[in-house]
Amino acid sequence: MMIGTDSHTPNAGGLGMIAIGVGGADAVDVMTGFPFNVKWPKLIGVHLTGELSGWASPKDVILKVAEILISNGSGQEFSEDLENWYYEKLKRVLGSFRMDNLVSEDKKEILFVGNSFTFYWNLPKLVEDMAKSRGLNWKVSQSTSSGVTLEQHWNSRKGLQTISLIEENNFDYIIYQDRSHNPIRQLDSTEVYAKKFINLSKSKNSIPFLFSTWFYPEYWEREYPNNKIDLNTNPFPIESVISRISKEEKIDFIPVGRAFKLFQQKHPNYNLLFDDDKHSSANGTYLAACIIFSSISGESSVGLPSRFFEYDEKENKWIYFNIVDKNFALLSQKISNEIVLQYK
């Protein structure tokens, strides 16, 4: 192993030696007989595929990899102050260079159709950012309004333009989410309008998915005390309806509700719901995004960043869109793998 302080150090690495570049003070310690200590990284290699587009250079790839390592928590030794300094340096180095140049040219258009269970914590944006972190070129749109059903989407109520949006565009994938408990309370409506949307999607050569949401028993018992559901005999009351419709229509569904239940059973210390015991928290939204990302891409979600952010040119600062605990992110990714692989 060699410790070096200038540009000759990586040359030695290229010859097969373990060569580490250090600052002058570290080099002095080594020369005077003191040990050199460094954290051995968990990630010791990066496999790159494809080709650089435009005028992107190898240095841009290195900087992007460094950004990903810090954003997903791999660089645990970076303090918040140092991290902010790093990003400022990164910004100055890149200038007007856009990381979109490193994203696949194979663009996919995705539409979310739903309500607050879809737009809370901007789930569609989070799915798009997860894809971008993997070099996938996804443009994710949404047609949503609070509390709406698929029937209201179909009949263009509450100012919704879902039908025209689908008819006038060519989406690769469309994800449909009925009002959360509608598959239980309004089964006929869910079935009729889910099938209408599925047939419309197929006529446009779009691939439809049904979004199976989570059952929230505390809210249900409080609001509908006379309508008991035996979760021992039917542990997934929403999914049982969504999966049947999907099977009849020969499409896939996205089992987010099953993932929520499995996660809560394994990791009860994390709260997946907001304080209304109904909508997803930031944690729950991250887990849902992992499930949706893997269901569409077919890729494992393990290794996705735990934080997503963009640089605001106008405000000259980094804007964070979603932040979860690094350990929670990994647990969510493992649950996602377990759930999605089961249905593939």
Side-chain angles (χ1 to χ4, degrees), residues 59-71 75 78-94 99 307 309 311 318 320:
K59 175 181 260 188
D60 297 316
V61 176
I62 294 169
L63 289 170
K64 180 61 178 176
V65 170
E67 176 190 353
I68 293 171
L69 290 177
I70 291 179
S71 67
F78 285 86
S79 68
E80 184 176 351
D81 289 339
L82 183 55
E83 183 178 326
N84 291 335
W85 172 87
Y86 168 79
Y87 284 127
E88 291 301 319
K89 294 286 284 185
L90 177 65
K91 175 62 182 174
R92 287 197 291 271
V93 169
L94 292 182
M99 286 303 175
R307 296 178 292 174
F309 45 85
Y311 192 82
W318 292 90
Y320 286 78

mmCIF file of all heavy atoms in Angstrom, residues 59-71 75 78-94 99 307 309 311 318 320:
data_model
loop_
_atom_site.group_PDB
_atom_site.id
_atom_site.type_symbol
_atom_site.label_atom_id
_atom_site.label_comp_id
_atom_site.label_asym_id
_atom_site.label_seq_id
_atom_site.Cartn_x
_atom_site.Cartn_y
_atom_site.Cartn_z
ATOM 1 N N LYS A 59 -15.132 12.780 -15.548
ATOM 2 C CA LYS A 59 -15.180 13.503 -14.269
ATOM 3 C C LYS A 59 -16.621 13.737 -13.834
ATOM 4 O O LYS A 59 -16.927 13.678 -12.636
ATOM 5 C CB LYS A 59 -14.446 14.842 -14.380
ATOM 6 C CG LYS A 59 -14.560 15.692 -13.123
ATOM 7 C CD LYS A 59 -13.841 17.024 -13.287
ATOM 8 C CE LYS A 59 -12.486 16.970 -12.618
ATOM 9 N NZ LYS A 59 -11.834 18.301 -12.590
ATOM 10 N N ASP A 60 -17.523 14.003 -14.775
ATOM 11 C CA ASP A 60 -18.927 14.201 -14.438
ATOM 12 C C ASP A 60 -19.524 12.943 -13.814
ATOM 13 O O ASP A 60 -20.332 13.004 -12.897
ATOM 14 C CB ASP A 60 -19.727 14.589 -15.685
ATOM 15 C CG ASP A 60 -19.274 15.919 -16.278
ATOM 16 O OD1 ASP A 60 -19.066 16.860 -15.501
ATOM 17 O OD2 ASP A 60 -19.113 15.988 -17.505
ATOM 18 N N VAL A 61 -19.116 11.773 -14.339
ATOM 19 C CA VAL A 61 -19.589 10.514 -13.779
ATOM 20 C C VAL A 61 -19.089 10.359 -12.342
ATOM 21 O O VAL A 61 -19.842 9.981 -11.441
ATOM 22 C CB VAL A 61 -19.120 9.316 -14.635
ATOM 23 C CG1 VAL A 61 -19.544 8.005 -13.989
ATOM 24 C CG2 VAL A 61 -19.686 9.418 -16.039
ATOM 25 N N ILE A 62 -17.801 10.671 -12.129
ATOM 26 C CA ILE A 62 -17.220 10.559 -10.782
ATOM 27 C C ILE A 62 -17.956 11.465 -9.809
ATOM 28 O O ILE A 62 -18.299 11.070 -8.688
ATOM 29 C CB ILE A 62 -15.718 10.905 -10.818
ATOM 30 C CG1 ILE A 62 -14.955 9.853 -11.639
ATOM 31 C CG2 ILE A 62 -15.142 10.990 -9.406
ATOM 32 C CD1 ILE A 62 -13.531 10.243 -11.940
ATOM 33 N N LEU A 63 -18.225 12.684 -10.226
ATOM 34 C CA LEU A 63 -18.931 13.625 -9.351
ATOM 35 C C LEU A 63 -20.349 13.152 -9.069
ATOM 36 O O LEU A 63 -20.850 13.295 -7.950
ATOM 37 C CB LEU A 63 -18.943 15.016 -9.990
ATOM 38 C CG LEU A 63 -17.594 15.744 -10.020
ATOM 39 C CD1 LEU A 63 -17.689 16.988 -10.892
ATOM 40 C CD2 LEU A 63 -17.159 16.119 -8.618
ATOM 41 N N LYS A 64 -21.008 12.570 -10.072
ATOM 42 C CA LYS A 64 -22.368 12.072 -9.866
ATOM 43 C C LYS A 64 -22.364 10.917 -8.888
ATOM 44 O O LYS A 64 -23.221 10.825 -7.999
ATOM 45 C CB LYS A 64 -22.978 11.644 -11.205
ATOM 46 C CG LYS A 64 -24.407 11.114 -11.080
ATOM 47 C CD LYS A 64 -25.340 12.160 -10.529
ATOM 48 C CE LYS A 64 -26.772 11.639 -10.461
ATOM 49 N NZ LYS A 64 -27.694 12.614 -9.846
ATOM 50 N N VAL A 65 -21.403 10.006 -9.020
ATOM 51 C CA VAL A 65 -21.303 8.876 -8.092
ATOM 52 C C VAL A 65 -21.065 9.389 -6.671
ATOM 53 O O VAL A 65 -21.670 8.902 -5.704
ATOM 54 C CB VAL A 65 -20.176 7.914 -8.523
ATOM 55 C CG1 VAL A 65 -19.912 6.885 -7.436
ATOM 56 C CG2 VAL A 65 -20.553 7.226 -9.828
ATOM 57 N N ALA A 66 -20.182 10.392 -6.535
ATOM 58 C CA ALA A 66 -19.931 10.970 -5.215
ATOM 59 C C ALA A 66 -21.203 11.575 -4.636
ATOM 60 O O ALA A 66 -21.495 11.436 -3.445
ATOM 61 C CB ALA A 66 -18.832 12.037 -5.316
ATOM 62 N N GLU A 67 -21.984 12.231 -5.480
ATOM 63 C CA GLU A 67 -23.248 12.824 -5.027
ATOM 64 C C GLU A 67 -24.199 11.746 -4.523
ATOM 65 O O GLU A 67 -24.818 11.873 -3.467
ATOM 66 C CB GLU A 67 -23.899 13.592 -6.169
ATOM 67 C CG GLU A 67 -25.270 14.166 -5.818
ATOM 68 C CD GLU A 67 -25.995 14.706 -7.043
ATOM 69 O OE1 GLU A 67 -25.384 14.753 -8.125
ATOM 70 O OE2 GLU A 67 -27.169 15.051 -6.900
ATOM 71 N N ILE A 68 -24.307 10.640 -5.263
ATOM 72 C CA ILE A 68 -25.205 9.560 -4.876
ATOM 73 C C ILE A 68 -24.765 8.932 -3.561
ATOM 74 O O ILE A 68 -25.580 8.659 -2.678
ATOM 75 C CB ILE A 68 -25.268 8.492 -5.986
ATOM 76 C CG1 ILE A 68 -25.937 9.075 -7.240
ATOM 77 C CG2 ILE A 68 -26.015 7.252 -5.513
ATOM 78 C CD1 ILE A 68 -25.858 8.181 -8.451
ATOM 79 N N LEU A 69 -23.463 8.719 -3.410
ATOM 80 C CA LEU A 69 -22.956 8.102 -2.188
ATOM 81 C C LEU A 69 -23.293 8.933 -0.959
ATOM 82 O O LEU A 69 -23.648 8.416 0.095
ATOM 83 C CB LEU A 69 -21.442 7.894 -2.284
ATOM 84 C CG LEU A 69 -20.979 6.824 -3.270
ATOM 85 C CD1 LEU A 69 -19.463 6.779 -3.319
ATOM 86 C CD2 LEU A 69 -21.533 5.469 -2.883
ATOM 87 N N ILE A 70 -23.195 10.248 -1.098
ATOM 88 C CA ILE A 70 -23.500 11.104 0.043
ATOM 89 C C ILE A 70 -25.002 11.176 0.269
ATOM 90 O O ILE A 70 -25.484 11.084 1.394
ATOM 91 C CB ILE A 70 -22.917 12.514 -0.155
ATOM 92 C CG1 ILE A 70 -21.391 12.454 -0.071
ATOM 93 C CG2 ILE A 70 -23.436 13.477 0.903
ATOM 94 C CD1 ILE A 70 -20.717 13.782 -0.277
ATOM 95 N N SER A 71 -25.770 11.276 -0.815
ATOM 96 C CA SER A 71 -27.211 11.461 -0.658
ATOM 97 C C SER A 71 -27.890 10.235 -0.082
ATOM 98 O O SER A 71 -28.909 10.345 0.585
ATOM 99 C CB SER A 71 -27.846 11.818 -2.002
ATOM 100 O OG SER A 71 -27.770 10.732 -2.894
ATOM 101 N N GLY A 75 -21.754 7.923 2.640
ATOM 102 C CA GLY A 75 -20.654 8.714 3.191
ATOM 103 C C GLY A 75 -20.990 9.191 4.586
ATOM 104 O O GLY A 75 -21.195 10.379 4.824
ATOM 105 N N PHE A 78 -19.357 12.252 6.541
ATOM 106 C CA PHE A 78 -19.553 13.643 6.187
ATOM 107 C C PHE A 78 -20.501 14.308 7.167
ATOM 108 O O PHE A 78 -21.608 13.845 7.369
ATOM 109 C CB PHE A 78 -20.139 13.758 4.765
ATOM 110 C CG PHE A 78 -19.148 13.502 3.681
ATOM 111 C CD1 PHE A 78 -18.898 12.211 3.259
ATOM 112 C CD2 PHE A 78 -18.457 14.548 3.107
ATOM 113 C CE1 PHE A 78 -17.977 11.965 2.263
ATOM 114 C CE2 PHE A 78 -17.535 14.313 2.097
ATOM 115 C CZ PHE A 78 -17.293 13.013 1.686
ATOM 116 N N SER A 79 -20.071 15.371 7.786
ATOM 117 C CA SER A 79 -20.968 16.138 8.647
ATOM 118 C C SER A 79 -21.890 16.975 7.775
ATOM 119 O O SER A 79 -21.660 17.138 6.581
ATOM 120 C CB SER A 79 -20.171 17.075 9.559
ATOM 121 O OG SER A 79 -19.547 18.091 8.785
ATOM 122 N N GLU A 80 -22.950 17.507 8.371
ATOM 123 C CA GLU A 80 -23.888 18.308 7.590
ATOM 124 C C GLU A 80 -23.199 19.531 7.008
ATOM 125 O O GLU A 80 -23.416 19.893 5.859
ATOM 126 C CB GLU A 80 -25.060 18.736 8.475
ATOM 127 C CG GLU A 80 -26.127 19.504 7.719
ATOM 128 C CD GLU A 80 -27.326 19.831 8.574
ATOM 129 O OE1 GLU A 80 -27.387 19.317 9.702
ATOM 130 O OE2 GLU A 80 -28.173 20.610 8.116
ATOM 131 N N ASP A 81 -22.326 20.187 7.798
ATOM 132 C CA ASP A 81 -21.639 21.376 7.292
ATOM 133 C C ASP A 81 -20.738 21.028 6.122
ATOM 134 O O ASP A 81 -20.706 21.729 5.111
ATOM 135 C CB ASP A 81 -20.809 22.014 8.415
ATOM 136 C CG ASP A 81 -21.695 22.663 9.468
ATOM 137 O OD1 ASP A 81 -22.860 22.967 9.135
ATOM 138 O OD2 ASP A 81 -21.230 22.837 10.594
ATOM 139 N N LEU A 82 -19.994 19.922 6.264
ATOM 140 C CA LEU A 82 -19.086 19.519 5.202
ATOM 141 C C LEU A 82 -19.873 19.106 3.961
ATOM 142 O O LEU A 82 -19.475 19.378 2.827
ATOM 143 C CB LEU A 82 -18.194 18.360 5.660
ATOM 144 C CG LEU A 82 -17.141 17.875 4.655
ATOM 145 C CD1 LEU A 82 -16.254 19.029 4.206
ATOM 146 C CD2 LEU A 82 -16.315 16.755 5.257
ATOM 147 N N GLU A 83 -21.021 18.462 4.193
ATOM 148 C CA GLU A 83 -21.851 18.041 3.068
ATOM 149 C C GLU A 83 -22.339 19.258 2.281
ATOM 150 O O GLU A 83 -22.294 19.274 1.049
ATOM 151 C CB GLU A 83 -23.045 17.247 3.589
ATOM 152 C CG GLU A 83 -23.931 16.696 2.494
ATOM 153 C CD GLU A 83 -25.065 15.869 3.068
ATOM 154 O OE1 GLU A 83 -24.854 15.204 4.090
ATOM 155 O OE2 GLU A 83 -26.155 15.926 2.483
ATOM 156 N N ASN A 84 -22.802 20.280 2.989
ATOM 157 C CA ASN A 84 -23.251 21.491 2.312
ATOM 158 C C ASN A 84 -22.108 22.144 1.544
ATOM 159 O O ASN A 84 -22.287 22.635 0.426
ATOM 160 C CB ASN A 84 -23.830 22.489 3.325
ATOM 161 C CG ASN A 84 -25.136 21.995 3.913
ATOM 162 O OD1 ASN A 84 -25.825 21.199 3.296
ATOM 163 N ND2 ASN A 84 -25.473 22.460 5.097
ATOM 164 N N TRP A 85 -20.902 22.141 2.140
ATOM 165 C CA TRP A 85 -19.733 22.693 1.460
ATOM 166 C C TRP A 85 -19.450 21.903 0.183
ATOM 167 O O TRP A 85 -19.160 22.465 -0.874
ATOM 168 C CB TRP A 85 -18.525 22.625 2.388
ATOM 169 C CG TRP A 85 -17.228 22.995 1.708
ATOM 170 C CD1 TRP A 85 -16.692 24.230 1.557
ATOM 171 C CD2 TRP A 85 -16.305 22.088 1.072
ATOM 172 N NE1 TRP A 85 -15.498 24.164 0.874
ATOM 173 C CE2 TRP A 85 -15.235 22.874 0.561
ATOM 174 C CE3 TRP A 85 -16.271 20.714 0.896
ATOM 175 C CZ2 TRP A 85 -14.158 22.305 -0.096
ATOM 176 C CZ3 TRP A 85 -15.203 20.150 0.214
ATOM 177 C CH2 TRP A 85 -14.162 20.944 -0.265
ATOM 178 N N TYR A 86 -19.560 20.579 0.287
ATOM 179 C CA TYR A 86 -19.305 19.718 -0.864
ATOM 180 C C TYR A 86 -20.246 20.044 -2.018
ATOM 181 O O TYR A 86 -19.842 20.152 -3.179
ATOM 182 C CB TYR A 86 -19.457 18.249 -0.470
ATOM 183 C CG TYR A 86 -19.504 17.313 -1.666
ATOM 184 C CD1 TYR A 86 -18.346 16.935 -2.340
ATOM 185 C CD2 TYR A 86 -20.737 16.858 -2.150
ATOM 186 C CE1 TYR A 86 -18.402 16.113 -3.444
ATOM 187 C CE2 TYR A 86 -20.794 16.044 -3.262
ATOM 188 C CZ TYR A 86 -19.623 15.670 -3.897
ATOM 189 O OH TYR A 86 -19.696 14.867 -4.995
ATOM 190 N N TYR A 87 -21.541 20.205 -1.692
ATOM 191 C CA TYR A 87 -22.498 20.479 -2.739
ATOM 192 C C TYR A 87 -22.266 21.831 -3.393
ATOM 193 O O TYR A 87 -22.480 22.002 -4.588
ATOM 194 C CB TYR A 87 -23.926 20.388 -2.199
ATOM 195 C CG TYR A 87 -24.380 18.969 -1.999
ATOM 196 C CD1 TYR A 87 -24.892 18.533 -0.790
ATOM 197 C CD2 TYR A 87 -24.286 18.042 -3.044
ATOM 198 C CE1 TYR A 87 -25.292 17.230 -0.611
ATOM 199 C CE2 TYR A 87 -24.677 16.738 -2.876
ATOM 200 C CZ TYR A 87 -25.190 16.336 -1.658
ATOM 201 O OH TYR A 87 -25.585 15.042 -1.479
ATOM 202 N N GLU A 88 -21.828 22.801 -2.612
ATOM 203 C CA GLU A 88 -21.506 24.093 -3.195
ATOM 204 C C GLU A 88 -20.328 23.953 -4.161
ATOM 205 O O GLU A 88 -20.312 24.531 -5.243
ATOM 206 C CB GLU A 88 -21.181 25.111 -2.090
ATOM 207 C CG GLU A 88 -22.381 25.505 -1.243
ATOM 208 C CD GLU A 88 -23.491 26.111 -2.085
ATOM 209 O OE1 GLU A 88 -23.188 26.909 -2.997
ATOM 210 O OE2 GLU A 88 -24.662 25.800 -1.827
ATOM 211 N N LYS A 89 -19.313 23.169 -3.756
ATOM 212 C CA LYS A 89 -18.166 22.919 -4.642
ATOM 213 C C LYS A 89 -18.624 22.175 -5.895
ATOM 214 O O LYS A 89 -18.203 22.491 -7.004
ATOM 215 C CB LYS A 89 -17.107 22.084 -3.905
ATOM 216 C CG LYS A 89 -16.455 22.798 -2.737
ATOM 217 C CD LYS A 89 -15.466 23.856 -3.213
ATOM 218 C CE LYS A 89 -14.187 23.211 -3.689
ATOM 219 N NZ LYS A 89 -13.163 24.230 -4.036
ATOM 220 N N LEU A 90 -19.513 21.186 -5.692
ATOM 221 C CA LEU A 90 -20.026 20.419 -6.816
ATOM 222 C C LEU A 90 -20.731 21.322 -7.808
ATOM 223 O O LEU A 90 -20.541 21.224 -9.021
ATOM 224 C CB LEU A 90 -20.988 19.341 -6.312
ATOM 225 C CG LEU A 90 -21.677 18.470 -7.374
ATOM 226 C CD1 LEU A 90 -20.652 17.641 -8.119
ATOM 227 C CD2 LEU A 90 -22.730 17.586 -6.730
ATOM 228 N N LYS A 91 -21.523 22.246 -7.287
ATOM 229 C CA LYS A 91 -22.258 23.171 -8.142
ATOM 230 C C LYS A 91 -21.308 24.037 -8.957
ATOM 231 O O LYS A 91 -21.497 24.245 -10.152
ATOM 232 C CB LYS A 91 -23.177 24.038 -7.269
ATOM 233 C CG LYS A 91 -23.919 25.121 -8.035
ATOM 234 C CD LYS A 91 -24.835 24.535 -9.084
ATOM 235 C CE LYS A 91 -25.532 25.619 -9.872
ATOM 236 N NZ LYS A 91 -26.313 25.081 -10.986
ATOM 237 N N ARG A 92 -20.259 24.543 -8.302
ATOM 238 C CA ARG A 92 -19.325 25.416 -9.011
ATOM 239 C C ARG A 92 -18.548 24.654 -10.072
ATOM 240 O O ARG A 92 -18.247 25.182 -11.138
ATOM 241 C CB ARG A 92 -18.375 26.084 -8.005
ATOM 242 C CG ARG A 92 -19.041 27.177 -7.183
ATOM 243 C CD ARG A 92 -18.000 28.049 -6.527
ATOM 244 N NE ARG A 92 -17.277 27.359 -5.484
ATOM 245 C CZ ARG A 92 -17.676 27.324 -4.205
ATOM 246 N NH1 ARG A 92 -18.791 27.950 -3.856
ATOM 247 N NH2 ARG A 92 -16.978 26.702 -3.305
ATOM 248 N N VAL A 93 -18.207 23.394 -9.760
ATOM 249 C CA VAL A 93 -17.451 22.587 -10.717
ATOM 250 C C VAL A 93 -18.296 22.271 -11.948
ATOM 251 O O VAL A 93 -17.835 22.361 -13.087
ATOM 252 C CB VAL A 93 -16.972 21.281 -10.054
ATOM 253 C CG1 VAL A 93 -16.416 20.326 -11.103
ATOM 254 C CG2 VAL A 93 -15.902 21.586 -9.020
ATOM 255 N N LEU A 94 -19.573 21.927 -11.717
ATOM 256 C CA LEU A 94 -20.423 21.517 -12.825
ATOM 257 C C LEU A 94 -20.927 22.699 -13.639
ATOM 258 O O LEU A 94 -21.229 22.565 -14.817
ATOM 259 C CB LEU A 94 -21.616 20.713 -12.300
ATOM 260 C CG LEU A 94 -21.279 19.350 -11.702
ATOM 261 C CD1 LEU A 94 -22.557 18.662 -11.264
ATOM 262 C CD2 LEU A 94 -20.525 18.479 -12.687
ATOM 263 N N MET A 99 -27.272 16.949 -14.984
ATOM 264 C CA MET A 99 -27.108 15.520 -14.825
ATOM 265 C C MET A 99 -28.069 14.739 -15.729
ATOM 266 O O MET A 99 -27.949 13.536 -15.868
ATOM 267 C CB MET A 99 -27.350 15.127 -13.363
ATOM 268 C CG MET A 99 -26.211 15.518 -12.440
ATOM 269 S SD MET A 99 -24.649 14.805 -12.999
ATOM 270 C CE MET A 99 -23.529 15.564 -11.842
ATOM 271 N N ARG A 307 -32.516 10.206 0.547
ATOM 272 C CA ARG A 307 -32.891 11.617 0.442
ATOM 273 C C ARG A 307 -32.889 12.035 -1.025
ATOM 274 O O ARG A 307 -32.033 11.603 -1.803
ATOM 275 C CB ARG A 307 -31.920 12.499 1.232
ATOM 276 C CG ARG A 307 -31.925 12.251 2.714
ATOM 277 C CD ARG A 307 -30.908 13.139 3.419
ATOM 278 N NE ARG A 307 -29.551 12.771 3.067
ATOM 279 C CZ ARG A 307 -28.475 13.456 3.450
ATOM 280 N NH1 ARG A 307 -28.629 14.550 4.169
ATOM 281 N NH2 ARG A 307 -27.278 13.053 3.104
ATOM 282 N N PHE A 309 -33.273 15.531 -3.608
ATOM 283 C CA PHE A 309 -33.167 16.980 -3.583
ATOM 284 C C PHE A 309 -32.751 17.483 -4.954
ATOM 285 O O PHE A 309 -32.278 16.727 -5.806
ATOM 286 C CB PHE A 309 -32.145 17.432 -2.543
ATOM 287 C CG PHE A 309 -30.877 16.628 -2.577
ATOM 288 C CD1 PHE A 309 -29.852 16.951 -3.449
ATOM 289 C CD2 PHE A 309 -30.719 15.518 -1.762
ATOM 290 C CE1 PHE A 309 -28.692 16.205 -3.500
ATOM 291 C CE2 PHE A 309 -29.554 14.759 -1.806
ATOM 292 C CZ PHE A 309 -28.542 15.102 -2.673
ATOM 293 N N TYR A 311 -31.118 21.301 -6.943
ATOM 294 C CA TYR A 311 -30.550 22.621 -6.727
ATOM 295 C C TYR A 311 -31.445 23.669 -7.349
ATOM 296 O O TYR A 311 -31.782 23.601 -8.537
ATOM 297 C CB TYR A 311 -29.139 22.719 -7.321
ATOM 298 C CG TYR A 311 -28.394 23.948 -6.879
ATOM 299 C CD1 TYR A 311 -27.751 23.979 -5.646
ATOM 300 C CD2 TYR A 311 -28.366 25.089 -7.674
ATOM 301 C CE1 TYR A 311 -27.074 25.113 -5.223
ATOM 302 C CE2 TYR A 311 -27.700 26.226 -7.261
ATOM 303 C CZ TYR A 311 -27.054 26.228 -6.035
ATOM 304 O OH TYR A 311 -26.401 27.354 -5.608
ATOM 305 N N TRP A 318 -30.003 24.198 -2.157
ATOM 306 C CA TRP A 318 -30.521 22.858 -2.392
ATOM 307 C C TRP A 318 -31.879 22.710 -1.733
ATOM 308 O O TRP A 318 -32.079 23.098 -0.589
ATOM 309 C CB TRP A 318 -29.552 21.807 -1.856
ATOM 310 C CG TRP A 318 -28.277 21.753 -2.639
ATOM 311 C CD1 TRP A 318 -27.140 22.469 -2.408
ATOM 312 C CD2 TRP A 318 -28.021 20.968 -3.792
ATOM 313 N NE1 TRP A 318 -26.192 22.180 -3.356
ATOM 314 C CE2 TRP A 318 -26.695 21.256 -4.209
ATOM 315 C CE3 TRP A 318 -28.772 20.040 -4.510
ATOM 316 C CZ2 TRP A 318 -26.131 20.649 -5.320
ATOM 317 C CZ3 TRP A 318 -28.193 19.431 -5.612
ATOM 318 C CH2 TRP A 318 -26.884 19.745 -6.009
ATOM 319 N N TYR A 320 -34.706 20.026 -0.541
ATOM 320 C CA TYR A 320 -34.927 18.611 -0.236
ATOM 321 C C TYR A 320 -36.413 18.289 -0.370
ATOM 322 O O TYR A 320 -37.258 18.937 0.242
ATOM 323 C CB TYR A 320 -34.441 18.275 1.174
ATOM 324 C CG TYR A 320 -32.944 18.205 1.279
ATOM 325 C CD1 TYR A 320 -32.169 19.361 1.348
ATOM 326 C CD2 TYR A 320 -32.284 16.981 1.298
ATOM 327 C CE1 TYR A 320 -30.787 19.295 1.428
ATOM 328 C CE2 TYR A 320 -30.904 16.911 1.379
ATOM 329 C CZ TYR A 320 -30.157 18.073 1.445
ATOM 330 O OH TYR A 320 -28.794 18.005 1.523
#
